Amino acid sequence: MSLQMKLQQCVIDFAIFLITIPSLVVVALLLDHILNHTGWADQLETQIIMAALSVAFFLICIMISVYLTHRVGNCLWAGPQSDQQSIYTVERGGALGGPDELPPPTYDTIMSECEPPSYEKISKIFPPQEPPPSYAATIAAHDPAAHI
């Protein structure tokens, strides 16, 4: 993708953001005003206006969802586009599962360059601790009549 096309896509994304978000806010504020400050349940005109605003809010949300899913590479009416790159595409040297893909490293391949630390070195860093007393020993400590 050329720099000009990336810039064009960024401008389109920004323009859609600048149009849709304020539109959603304005429609939501109008709906809130009609719900809280007018007798919308009594007047047919305000009921029609409220229904129209609700439909507009719903359509704007659907259009944003369709654009975002299309933008990430999942075209809703045509299914996933596997030949196009999307934000989920992972670029690697070979195809996924191909013959030139290396297996993940194992412990032995990672630790082949250095030896693990000795027990003495670890015991200096983390001194050994006494294990916690068992439940029976705890009960016996509180109750002198208990037999273990």
Side-chain angles (χ1 to χ4, degrees):
M1 202 182 215
S2 70
L3 181 63
Q4 183 181 4
M5 290 192 65
K6 285 183 180 181
L7 181 63
Q8 183 181 9
Q9 189 64 47
C10 288
V11 169
I12 291 171
D13 290 345
F14 190 67
I16 288 176
F17 176 78
L18 283 178
I19 292 170
T20 56
I21 300 302
S23 300
L24 283 175
V25 170
V26 166
V27 171
L29 289 174
L30 286 171
L31 281 170
D32 179 60
H33 178 74
I34 289 174
L35 278 173
N36 294 327
H37 300 293
T38 62
W40 68 273
D42 300 332
Q43 300 171 354
L44 179 64
E45 294 171 352
T46 53
Q47 290 176 355
I48 292 172
I49 291 171
M50 190 154 152
L53 286 173
S54 301
V55 168
F57 190 84
F58 177 73
L59 288 176
I60 292 171
C61 289
I62 294 296
M63 290 188 323
I64 291 171
S65 300
V66 167
Y67 178 76
L68 288 176
T69 55
H70 185 74
R71 184 74 172 95
V72 297
N74 292 326
C75 188
L76 292 178
W77 50 89
Q81 305 294 314
S82 61
D83 57 338
Q84 296 178 353
Q85 284 193 355
S86 68
I87 62 172
Y88 296 113
T89 304
V90 178
E91 295 183 38
R92 293 191 177 183
L96 291 175
D100 50 344
E101 184 177 335
L102 297 174
T106 62
Y107 178 80
D108 295 330
T109 58
I110 293 173
M111 296 304 291
S112 65
E113 297 173 3
C114 56
E115 292 294 318
S118 66
Y119 176 75
E120 291 80 23
K121 190 181 279 189
I122 291 177
S123 64
K124 288 179 185 176
I125 297 173
F126 302 107
Q129 298 176 352
E130 286 186 22
S134 66
Y135 178 72
T138 307
I139 297 292
H142 294 294
D143 187 13
H147 297 284
I148 299 178

